[in-house]
Amino acid sequence: MKPSQDSDKPDSPPPSRQPDSHAQMQRRFRWQVDEFFNIADVCCSRWAQRSEAENAPERIAVYAHQPCAEAVFHTYSELQHAADALSHVLAGLGVQRGDRVAIVMPQRFETAVAFMAVFQMGAVAMPLSMLFGPEALAFRLQDSETKVAICDESSIASVNAVRAACPALRSVVAAGQAAGQGDVDYAAAVAAHSLAFSAVKTRSEEAAVLIYTS
């Protein structure tokens, strides 16, 4: 049988491999973040200001959906005003820049308010699961030296149960149906403040969130 015309040609050389540049890219990587940065400003404050400047006060920030109930929406202005009020409340409870504030609530409007309020104070938000048992909850509150915990009906009993073992925990703010079970009722305290809060000018490398993994 006659061989094919290409049978006596040498195999083609393998394509040259590009050098791995991952390590070099990693060394050169830099976050493109300004020297001063605050999550509350980026996520809320500037949008509330823009809404007012553009005469668009109904610009929606949060949609709250509930089973068997109509959706409720909250505007950026509403979120900002509530965050300002809660920041004043937390400051009155002794929370300062760098202090840890536990947020032990599910996804609800008060949770968004709590994060914005803590961020604009330059404090550190510490989200905790409502499903933590006493030992896990106490460890995190102790280890972080949390000063204030914001809870609702899903977590207030658990936090109160371990409070004696957490000497740094000065105050518990009770939201939603937990009203009356903490040191401060969220709704009444927020309603008592109407002044804007002067946000702290935080640097981009400052801590904003403390998360404990399981």
Side-chain angles (χ1 to χ4, degrees):
M1 182 172 65
K2 183 178 180 181
S4 66
Q5 295 180 351
D6 296 332
S7 62
D8 56 349
K9 292 183 178 180
D11 294 336
S12 301
S16 59
R17 298 181 61 183
Q18 296 295 325
D20 186 358
S21 58
H22 178 267
Q24 185 180 36
M25 292 173 60
Q26 187 179 42
R27 286 194 302 271
R28 292 180 176 178
F29 178 79
R30 296 292 184 274
W31 288 106
Q32 301 298 315
V33 181
D34 295 337
E35 179 183 1
F36 293 95
F37 183 88
N38 190 287
I39 298 174
D41 177 55
V42 174
C43 294
C44 183
S45 301
R46 67 178 183 180
W47 295 103
Q49 293 170 4
R50 183 177 299 182
S51 296
E52 294 175 1
E54 297 175 354
N55 195 25
E58 298 304 312
R59 180 173 285 163
I60 298 173
V62 177
Y63 278 100
H65 294 276
Q66 300 179 14
C68 304
E70 292 186 6
V72 178
F73 67 86
H74 302 276
T75 67
Y76 279 103
S77 295
E78 184 181 359
L79 177 59
Q80 185 62 53
H81 292 157
D84 285 347
L86 184 57
S87 290
H88 283 297
V89 173
L90 295 175
L93 295 175
V95 175
Q96 300 179 5
R97 187 172 185 163
D99 287 341
R100 273 70 66 197
V101 177
I103 301 174
V104 203
M105 295 188 289
Q107 299 302 319
R108 56 187 298 166
F109 180 61
E110 291 85 351
T111 304
V113 172
F115 276 103
M116 296 302 106
V118 172
F119 290 150
Q120 68 180 4
M121 298 179 72
V124 180
M126 188 175 71
L128 294 176
S129 172
M130 303 79 63
L131 302 178
F132 279 140
E135 183 178 349
L137 187 60
F139 170 78
R140 287 157 175 78
L141 293 172
Q142 292 170 0
D143 186 67
S144 63
E145 297 182 342
T146 292
K147 283 192 174 180
V148 174
I150 306 174
C151 313
D152 69 355
E153 61 274 10
S154 69
S155 60
I156 189 75
S158 298
V159 172
N160 283 335
V162 301
R163 188 170 179 181
C166 307
L169 183 58
R170 298 178 180 177
S171 305
V172 174
V173 178
Q177 297 178 24
Q181 301 176 54
D183 302 299
V184 177
D185 284 344
Y186 170 96
V190 167
H193 291 275
S194 58
L195 296 177
F197 182 85
S198 298
V200 173
K201 190 176 181 180
T202 52
R203 294 184 177 275
S204 58
E205 69 269 15
E206 289 187 56
V209 184
L210 175 60
I211 297 177
Y212 286 84
T213 68
S214 57

